[in-house]
């Protein structure tokens, strides 16, 4: 009898692990199929007709470079995301008046090109460009002086696949720079079955400093109140963050945060430090993409709903808003996502976010 029971247990265990193995194999095969779509060449005239560049004029014909303007780009390949698109980043101190962009493939150039006036191009100097705070997300630095960024969005007709473009600068005298070519991979949604499921945020490490969930992060500053100087601690706390990744490439993130800050007017009226507290819960929905070559996760956000208790603020983003974007480390039920800022190719800030499944 004992032998029969042992054999039965062994059989059930074997059957269980066999099913698990089949499920894992099926999931990995599905990942491979999703990621394989990214290698398919896209028809450049169809993609060209689906590009959306604010302020640009579309023209027909070909370009004849003169090579008399200089600019630099530190990449020759980049990722794009469906609807969200991609950014074209270059650096130039030249007195250029605009940029030409034209798609190409192995057979030649697209039938038309884009003329983007300099007034429509974001050029950084000093300061910081910050993404919306969704709980744990950091701000992005704008880059060094003369860094220029052209935002390129994609219509819904553009699917996962690859295409290339060339970029030239031109000036008021009719000079056109030599072209620089960049090839783009439009990422498929999803692509890593290990991410699928519900993940709870536990902590982050900013440049070596650890901050666990529900722990206050405070900054101290001095304020002049009624002609006296007071030290004020203003604090922020993340109560929870949960991200659910779905196998179809969609995700939903729910989070709650509170903050305590100085009410300056009441402090002046009472001649003492008076704090004010506020908070909200939020629901964010969008799509996620996995870059298997770089082991990189990117969230593209299409809607936010903020509940402040007495007010609800809902926003939608036609072409998406870039969210979390970093490399992955998945081990059993633990997920770590690492974002970083770099300057001249050197990482200057490292942010690590930890989740438990």
């Amino acid at each position: 009898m004992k032998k029969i029971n042992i054999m039965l247990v062994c059989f059930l265990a074997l059957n269980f692990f066999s099913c698990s193995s089949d499920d894992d194999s099926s999931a990995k095969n599905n990942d491979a199929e999703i990621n394989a779509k990214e290698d398919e060449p896209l028809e450049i005239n169809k993609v060209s007709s689906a590009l959306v560049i604010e302020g640009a004029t579309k023209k027909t014909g070909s370009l004849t470079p003169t090579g008399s303007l200089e600019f630099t780009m530190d990449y020759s390949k980049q990722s794009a995301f469906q609807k969200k698109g991609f950014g074209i980043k270059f650096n130039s101190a030249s007195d250029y008046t605009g940029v030409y962009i034209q798609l190409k493939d192995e057979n030649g150039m697209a039938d038309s090109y884009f003329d983007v006036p300099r007034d429509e191009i974001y050029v950084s100097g000093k300061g910081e460009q910050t993404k919306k705070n969704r709980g744990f997300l950091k701000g992005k630095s704008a880059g060094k002086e003369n860094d220029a960024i052209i935002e390129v969005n994609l219509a819904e007709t553009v699917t996962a696949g690859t295409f290339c473009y060339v970029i030239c600068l031109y000036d008021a005298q009719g000079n056109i720079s030599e072209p620089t070519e960049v090839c783009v991979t439009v990422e498929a949604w999803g692509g890593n079955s290990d991410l699928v499921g519900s993940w709870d945020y536990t902590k982050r490490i900013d440049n070596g400093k650890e901050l666990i969930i529900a722990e206050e992060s405070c900054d101290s500053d001095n304020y002049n109140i009624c002609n006296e100087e007071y030290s004020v601690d203003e604090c922020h706390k993340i109560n929870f963050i949960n991200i659910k990744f779905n196998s179809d490439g969609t995700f939903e993130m729910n989070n709650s945060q509170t903050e305590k800050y100085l009410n300056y007017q009441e402090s002046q009226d009472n001649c003492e430090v008076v704090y004010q507290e506020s908070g909200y819960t939020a629901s964010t929905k969008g799509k996620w993409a996995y870059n298997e070559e770089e082991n990189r996760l990117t969230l593209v956000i299409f809607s936010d709903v903020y509940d402040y208790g007495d007010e609800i603020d809902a926003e939608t983003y036609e072409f998406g808003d870039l969210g979390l974007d970093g490399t992955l480390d998945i081990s059993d039920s633990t997920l770590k996502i690492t974002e970083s800022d770099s300057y001249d190719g050197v990482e200057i800030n490292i942010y690590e976010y930890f989740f438990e499944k």
Side-chain angles (χ1 to χ4, degrees):
M1 186 67 177
K2 287 184 180 180
K3 289 183 181 180
I4 295 174
N5 287 339
I6 291 173
M7 290 177 64
L8 179 61
V9 169
C10 291
F11 172 77
L12 292 175
L14 179 62
N15 187 57
F16 172 79
F17 286 116
S18 175
C19 292
S20 298
S21 177
D22 289 344
D23 290 343
D24 290 344
S25 177
S26 176
K28 296 302 181 184
N29 288 338
N30 188 52
D31 290 346
E33 290 177 7
I34 290 173
N35 293 321
K37 296 177 183 178
E38 300 164 357
D39 298 326
E40 298 176 5
L42 298 173
E43 207 286 313
I44 56 172
N45 284 309
K46 289 183 179 179
V47 176
S48 185
S49 66
L51 294 188
V52 181
I53 306 176
E54 187 174 350
T57 302
K58 200 168 185 182
K59 300 179 177 180
T60 58
S62 58
L63 304 172
T64 305
T66 64
S68 54
L69 291 175
E70 294 185 357
F71 73 101
T72 58
M73 299 179 74
D74 59 4
Y75 58 93
S76 60
K77 297 180 180 180
Q78 66 180 126
S79 291
F81 303 96
Q82 297 173 66
K83 286 210 75 176
K84 173 59 183 170
F86 57 101
I88 298 176
K89 184 176 179 180
F90 63 92
N91 188 283
S92 177
S94 301
D95 187 22
Y96 67 94
T97 54
V99 171
Y100 294 135
I101 302 167
Q102 189 168 22
L103 271 57
K104 69 167 295 186
D105 61 16
E106 59 185 10
N107 298 315
M109 309 299 291
D111 295 337
S112 58
Y113 63 92
F114 293 86
D115 181 351
V116 189
R118 184 167 182 165
D119 291 345
E120 300 291 340
I121 301 172
Y122 172 79
V123 181
S124 68
K126 295 181 180 179
E128 189 176 44
Q129 185 180 29
T130 306
K131 74 170 86 172
K132 187 162 186 174
N133 182 4
R134 292 184 174 85
F136 61 90
L137 300 180
K138 67 184 180 66
K140 294 284 191 181
S141 58
K144 59 186 177 181
E145 190 173 358
N146 297 320
D147 271 353
I149 300 175
I150 301 172
E151 292 293 338
V152 181
N153 298 128
L154 301 174
E156 286 186 316
T157 54
V158 180
T159 59
T162 63
F163 65 90
C164 300
Y165 66 85
V166 297
I167 172 175
C168 303
L169 274 57
Y170 67 88
D171 64 15
Q173 288 72 47
N175 298 307
I176 303 175
S177 72
E178 291 294 337
T180 292
E181 180 177 335
V182 177
C183 289
V184 179
T185 297
V186 182
E187 299 288 340
W189 297 127
N192 186 337
S193 56
D194 291 337
L195 273 171
V196 174
S198 183
W199 300 85
D200 291 318
Y201 172 70
T202 58
K203 67 178 180 179
R204 76 171 186 260
I205 299 177
D206 294 354
N207 296 315
K209 181 180 179 181
E210 183 178 271
L211 185 68
I212 63 173
I213 187 72
E215 180 181 359
E216 281 192 326
S217 175
C218 300
D219 293 314
S220 296
D221 206 349
N222 293 328
Y223 287 85
N224 189 296
I225 301 171
C226 296
N227 297 320
E228 289 190 32
E229 192 171 271
Y230 290 83
S231 178
V232 176
D233 291 330
E234 295 185 307
C235 303
H236 169 260
K237 181 173 67 173
I238 299 171
N239 300 311
F240 70 83
I241 299 174
N242 173 268
I243 305 180
K244 183 182 179 183
F245 295 103
N246 300 310
S247 58
D248 63 358
T250 61
F251 79 89
E252 180 172 356
M253 178 171 69
N254 295 290
N255 76 87
S256 168
Q257 67 176 17
T258 54
E259 58 183 357
K260 181 182 71 173
Y261 53 91
L262 178 71
N263 186 320
Y264 187 74
Q265 188 58 55
E266 287 194 21
S267 297
Q268 288 284 27
D269 293 342
N270 293 278
C271 290
E272 63 179 7
V273 175
V274 178
Y275 288 103
Q276 183 172 338
E277 294 187 358
S278 66
Y280 65 77
T281 58
S283 175
T284 296
K285 294 182 179 181
K287 295 188 176 182
W288 62 277
Y290 176 68
N291 184 324
E292 67 277 13
E293 292 181 357
E294 298 181 5
N295 186 35
R296 191 173 197 87
L297 169 70
T298 303
L299 306 186
V300 179
I301 295 161
F302 289 102
S303 70
D304 280 317
V305 178
Y306 290 85
D307 186 348
Y308 297 95
D310 57 351
E311 179 185 1
I312 293 179
D313 178 20
E315 296 184 47
T316 59
Y317 314 100
E318 180 182 3
F319 292 109
D321 189 24
L322 189 63
L324 191 61
D325 178 36
T327 57
L328 296 182
D329 184 2
I330 303 177
S331 176
D332 296 327
S333 61
T334 300
L335 166 65
K336 182 176 77 170
I337 304 172
T338 304
E339 284 193 303
S340 62
D341 286 332
S342 61
Y343 186 85
D344 281 347
V346 179
E347 289 187 341
I348 55 175
N349 292 302
I350 298 175
Y351 308 84
E352 299 170 295
Y353 310 106
F354 293 82
F355 298 83
E356 293 292 333
K357 199 167 190 178

